[in-house]
Amino acid sequence: MKLFLLIFLIFICAACQTSCRIPGNMEIRAESRWQLEEDSLPEFKSSAETTKKEDESSLLDNTGMTLETRVHSPEGYMRVSVEENSFAAFLRNFPMKEAESPVLLYNGREKGNQGSHAAVFALSIEDEKLQQCTNSIIRIYAEYFYQTKQYDRLSFHISNAFEGESYKNLQEHLKIVFSYSSTTSMIKESTEISLSEIQAGDIFLKGGSLGHVVLIVDVCETESGSKAFLLAQGCIPAQEFHLLKNPLHGEDPWYYEEELSYPFSTPEYMFSEGSLRRLNY
């Protein structure tokens, strides 16, 4: 009996040693596999480092409250010189709404697409459906003519001349101008130009049904003369005038001459060759 018990105990111990070795081997294999995966992980930067890099690469300055201070010139480019009191200078110094402001419609609601603009101009929009794409551009020209007291230029090719000097008179006069304007009439009021002639105040325009127009609001260039420009628009339904992003690079709203080809794409429209024009205002 004692011999039998001795043999039984020896058998149990051997079995226990065997079963304990398996978890040990598994633990070693698990350790080795984890070490391999850990060694092969990419190096991630902290969110603060990532944000800083994005801020440095962006040309948008959220603290800037004019077009010129909101959007910096790209590296290697300088804004073209403009005359004091010119339309280009007026646009460059135009006040902007707070950074990341949504584009609002004429009724105070937010525009459905909030992903196409880089900034919003602090230009009021009347509680009517009139200030769409062409009228937004007429409106910004009208603000310039009014502020510089060029009242004779406020007729915009209609027979009704601007009368009086109050801002209320201007608002009432523009309602008449807006009712007559369209992309078709704007074709007649502009001439085609080449890209080498581009300046603030020029437009990309497609006339007729389902047409559209965007305004060049600033221009910069390199020492060799290569140009870049910023675009702004109003749209349908009537909405706030806003600076467009460049679909090719979201953090940089400038459109570069060497990138331009036709059809020319903006976030919400495509323009064909021959659409670059200068208004005869």
Side-chain angles (χ1 to χ4, degrees), residues 55-122:
D55 289 343
E56 289 174 349
S57 65
S58 174
L59 296 176
L60 298 174
D61 183 349
N62 288 346
T63 65
M65 297 307 293
T66 65
L67 178 63
E68 183 174 15
T69 57
R70 179 66 59 83
V71 186
H72 296 307
S73 300
E75 185 176 355
Y77 287 76
M78 290 186 63
R79 280 180 158 89
V80 298
S81 59
V82 296
E83 294 183 8
E84 188 177 359
N85 296 323
S86 65
F87 184 53
F90 173 78
L91 289 170
R92 205 171 269 179
N93 292 294
F94 204 93
M96 310 300 288
K97 293 182 72 174
E98 295 267 344
E100 301 182 2
S101 293
V103 175
L104 301 180
L105 303 179
Y106 68 96
N107 56 13
R109 297 178 180 177
E110 291 189 9
K111 177 182 177 179
N113 177 17
Q114 293 291 333
S116 64
H117 72 281
V120 181
F121 286 72

Side-chain angles (χ1 to χ4, degrees), residues 17-27 29:
Q17 288 176 357
T18 303
S19 62
C20 289
R21 282 197 297 268
I22 295 173
N25 291 339
M26 287 179 67
E27 185 178 353
R29 287 197 296 271

